Amino acid sequence: MTSPHLPDRPAGPPAARPAAVSWTLVAGLSALALLWPLTGLTGALGTGAPRALTIIGLTAAVWIGVVGLGRVPRPVLTLALTGLAYGLVAALIGTLVPVLSGFGPGGGPAWTLIPALAFDTMWGSVAGLVAACVQRLRGGAR
């Protein structure tokens, strides 16, 4: 028996691959986690809630500004990974130098790591959505 030969599919344009995440950018933006211990050591920005809100607001503004105005591809994924990396940096600092984390000697409870990382990742995702909106308002990603 002979099998029917099916014609080859016509070659179309190559499928567009999604742009890769810039790991250098993720590392650089997550380094803003160092603001917490630096402001604690220097006494800048005061203490308590005003300091925390200032650091959170400044970090969010930088993330959204860099990714949104810089037209970084895949802003939500980039900032979600940045949030996760931010949480890992903060946890590492809190483990190595617990006094700088605000918990005093011994550091914070270990069970808080997973919820904190989830919160930081969610925070990054929300910032990524805002950055994506900024990109759309400016005319889309490159």
Side-chain angles (χ1 to χ4, degrees):
M1 262 190 159
T2 60
S3 64
H5 177 67
L6 297 175
D8 293 330
R9 289 187 174 200
R17 286 183 29 196
V21 172
S22 171
W23 293 104
T24 306
L25 180 63
V26 169
L29 291 176
S30 66
L32 288 173
L34 298 173
L35 284 175
W36 186 259
L38 289 174
T39 57
L41 286 173
T42 63
L45 304 178
T47 60
R51 174 178 158 218
L53 292 174
T54 301
I55 291 171
I56 290 169
L58 180 63
T59 301
V62 169
W63 287 4
I64 293 166
V66 167
V67 174
L69 299 176
R71 297 182 180 175
V72 174
R74 303 179 77 179
V76 177
L77 178 61
T78 298
L79 288 181
L81 292 170
T82 299
L84 177 63
Y86 181 98
L88 291 171
V89 169
L92 183 64
I93 291 168
T95 301
L96 296 177
V97 190
V99 174
L100 295 178
S101 68
F103 288 110
W111 65 267
T112 62
L113 179 62
I114 299 300
L117 291 177
F119 181 79
D120 289 335
T121 304
M122 184 221 34
W123 177 38
S125 298
V126 170
L129 288 171
V130 174
C133 289
V134 169
Q135 287 183 355
R136 281 211 174 95
L137 290 173
R138 290 183 46 91
R142 286 183 221 173

